[in-house]
Amino acid sequence: MIYDRILVRFGELTMKGRNRGRFEQQLLRQIKLSLRAFSALQYEKTYGRIYIILNGEPYDKVAERLKDVFGLSSFSPVKRAEPELESIRDTALDVMRSLSSVPSTFKVSVRRGWKEFHHDSQQMNHLVGSHVLRAIPALKVDVRSPQVELRVDIQYEGAYIYCESIAGAGGFPYGTSGKALLLLSGGIDSPVAGWLALRKGLELEAVHFHSYPFTSEQAKQKVIALARRLAHYTGRPLKLHLVPFTEVQTALAGQKQDHLMITMMRRAMLRITGELAERHGASAVVTGDSLGQVASQTLGSMNVIGRTMELPLLRPLIMMDKQEIIDIAERIGTFATSILPFEDCCTLFVPKSPSTNPNLRVVEKVESFIPELDAMLQRAVDGTETVSLRATDREPEFVHTTAAAGENDWF
């Protein structure tokens, strides 16, 4: 590998005006956190970009980790040259000779960020291109559709030469958009919603409801594994709040209003989550709702369920099809865990015909028949167990027989 550093380009944060500096500093901190395993790396920050000096660290492994850092639009492996003509020409030739296969066509694209450089971009295209052509006669110039585009970026502090640009994760750096709680069910949808929320710069803590002994220890471990995977994208530990829901759930089931069971469960979950959000300083709640996917995600159901909460409810998947959600789940590494067939509390007491258009007045009336409901909700809040999870923690070992679970994703 001839390249000695990585050029990192920023994403949407370049439009942040007076707040841009804060976003850039947070991005640099996130990059350092994500790459802390590579101790020899050094970092240089200039206006609008970051350079990562490899110092012998393996580019491929560093690049693989860099792809998951939010806030990057793209990055490139680059070779630095002195901002002088001969140094740029020689380095450009070295880069072309280092390619794994010799292309038949190429073109040179020079960007002159340092305007005082004594040749303009067009002159440099010709001066660099002719030098490469003389050394590699088999090459031809194709300015419309070249096999390789040799890029030269001339800045005051140096010239950077490269042929490749890799797409970054985009979005905003972690934690620059405030803090939210994610309802994490264990199905396919909610981890994807969490990943999309992280991508928009939200700091997340996850909330999971369990109904022990009706739900198993493996169901809990499955959610822990999903939260740990999300922690991979934060570069730091992620908190998971495990809420005991058995008492509330059985009390709701005791009302014998089966068609309203899902609606009432979700209203109770949001009321508990709202209390947890206040305790932990969160300003929003993220769910994996996708319009029309299940009974609780019709417009009528979401209206009645959402009336329990004053905080903003963020639904990143609301207009996505199931296959689009699955595609993201596979890409971010949560799908294989989400389809493990361990029941969670949302798959208990599921009615055959849930209401898709519940009446708010009727639901509130049924809830009023449970005199201790508020006290039960408070006990659930008080009984919540919080664990802090790192991406590098040891994965639990699952034993399973089918891949049919994860379909009832209520969040």
Side-chain angles (χ1 to χ4, degrees):
M1 168 58 91
I2 189 175
Y3 298 111
D4 54 15
R5 61 195 67 202
I6 299 174
L7 163 61
V8 175
R9 304 177 189 86
F10 301 157
E12 291 183 61
L13 60 87
T14 57
M15 297 183 289
K16 285 300 174 185
R18 287 181 296 179
N19 291 320
R20 176 172 170 169
R22 177 173 65 85
F23 279 73
E24 290 185 0
Q25 287 297 336
Q26 179 61 12
L27 176 57
L28 179 57
R29 281 193 288 271
Q30 280 301 118
I31 290 173
K32 289 180 176 179
L33 268 175
S34 298
L35 301 180
R36 59 184 177 274
F38 306 97
S39 57
L41 295 179
Q42 290 181 299
Y43 303 87
E44 291 178 355
K45 181 178 175 304
T46 64
Y47 185 77
R49 57 186 58 195
I50 293 170
Y51 296 102
I52 302 172
I53 304 169
L54 290 171
N55 283 331
E57 296 284 7
Y59 165 75
D60 291 341
K61 292 183 178 179
V62 173
E64 195 60 34
R65 189 67 190 89
L66 206 56
K67 289 177 184 176
D68 292 334
V69 178
F70 299 122
L72 279 69
S73 66
S74 65
F75 62 90
S76 298
V78 300
K79 177 73 174 173
R80 183 187 179 281
E82 293 300 320
E84 300 167 353
L85 176 60
E86 289 309 314
S87 178
I88 291 172
R89 296 171 84 177
D90 291 345
T91 305
L93 182 57
D94 290 343
V95 168
M96 288 298 295
R97 282 174 167 162
S98 72
L99 296 175
S100 57
S101 60
V102 179
S104 58
T105 60
F106 84 119
K107 80 170 186 179
V108 178
S109 298
V110 174
R111 178 180 179 274
R112 200 172 53 123
W114 179 32
K115 300 302 182 187
E116 286 71 29
F117 189 75
H118 45 278
H119 298 288
D120 64 26
S121 297
Q122 287 300 322
Q123 289 173 330
M124 285 299 293
N125 285 340
H126 174 73
L127 291 169
V128 174
S130 59
H131 183 71
V132 172
L133 284 172
R134 280 194 295 273
I136 312 176
L139 271 177
K140 293 183 178 178
V141 174
D142 183 344
V143 296
R144 294 183 182 276
S145 183
Q147 289 183 353
V148 168
E149 184 170 2
L150 178 63
R151 297 176 183 271
V152 180
D153 184 3
I154 303 174
Q155 302 291 331
Y156 174 76
E157 70 277 4
Y160 304 92
I161 295 128
Y162 58 96
C163 295
E164 187 181 10
S165 185
I166 298 99
F172 298 126
Y174 176 74
T176 53
S177 298
K179 182 176 179 179
L181 295 187
L182 166 69
L183 294 181
L184 189 61
S185 70
I188 297 170
D189 297 353
S190 53
V192 175
W195 182 83
L196 289 170
L198 292 171
R199 187 172 181 270
K200 293 305 287 183
L202 279 171
E203 176 187 353
L204 279 190
E205 294 182 11
V207 179
H208 177 71
F209 293 85
H210 65 86
S211 289
Y212 182 82
F214 299 115
T215 55
S216 66
E217 176 65 19
Q218 285 185 308
K220 175 181 171 183
Q221 291 301 320
K222 173 183 172 183
V223 172
I224 288 175
L226 289 171
R228 191 172 291 143
R229 182 59 190 167
L230 290 177
H232 166 79
Y233 295 96
T234 70
R236 59 189 77 195
L238 186 145
K239 286 184 179 178
L240 172 64
H241 305 288
L242 296 160
V243 183
F245 199 56
T246 311
E247 183 184 23
V248 175
Q249 196 169 19
T250 52
L252 295 175
Q255 296 307 299
K256 306 299 183 185
Q257 298 292 326
D258 290 354
H259 66 296
L260 297 176
M261 185 61 191
I262 294 171
T263 303
M264 293 191 295
M265 275 200 318
R266 293 212 57 188
R267 282 170 58 87
M269 289 175 176
L270 283 186
R271 290 177 66 184
I272 293 169
T273 305
E275 181 70 24
L276 291 172
E278 186 171 334
R279 289 190 179 190
H280 296 278
S283 303
V285 173
V286 180
T287 76
D289 290 326
S290 177
L291 186 61
Q293 189 174 128
V294 293
S296 65
Q297 295 170 14
T298 63
L299 203 56
S301 290
M302 286 192 288
N303 177 37
V304 172
I305 292 166
R307 294 295 185 96
T308 57
M309 176 168 282
E310 294 183 356
L311 290 175
L313 267 174
L314 307 180
R315 298 176 168 109
L317 314 182
I318 195 68
M319 295 302 177
M320 285 188 182
D321 292 339
K322 191 68 180 183
Q323 189 56 51
E324 293 175 285
I325 298 168
I326 290 173
D327 290 345
I328 297 176
E330 290 177 331
R331 194 169 78 238
I332 66 176
T334 58
F335 182 74
T337 303
S338 290
I339 62 172
L340 292 171
F342 306 128
E343 286 192 333
D344 60 32
C345 70
C346 296
T347 57
L348 302 174
F349 308 113
V350 175
K352 291 182 179 177
S353 300
S355 174
T356 57
N357 190 26
N359 182 292
L360 177 60
R361 187 176 58 81
V362 172
V363 172
E364 290 176 338
K365 187 71 174 177
V366 174
E367 290 173 341
S368 71
F369 292 151
I370 310 174
E372 292 190 359
L373 181 57
D374 288 345
M376 292 179 193
L377 297 177
Q378 192 58 50
R379 283 196 288 273
V381 172
D382 294 338
T384 297
E385 175 192 7
T386 300
V387 293
S388 185
L389 303 168
R390 293 180 181 275
T392 53
D393 291 344
R394 184 178 178 184
E395 291 290 329
E397 294 182 1
F398 295 110
V399 178
H400 57 95
T401 55
T402 72
E407 296 299 323
N408 293 322
D409 204 339
W410 303 108
F411 294 118

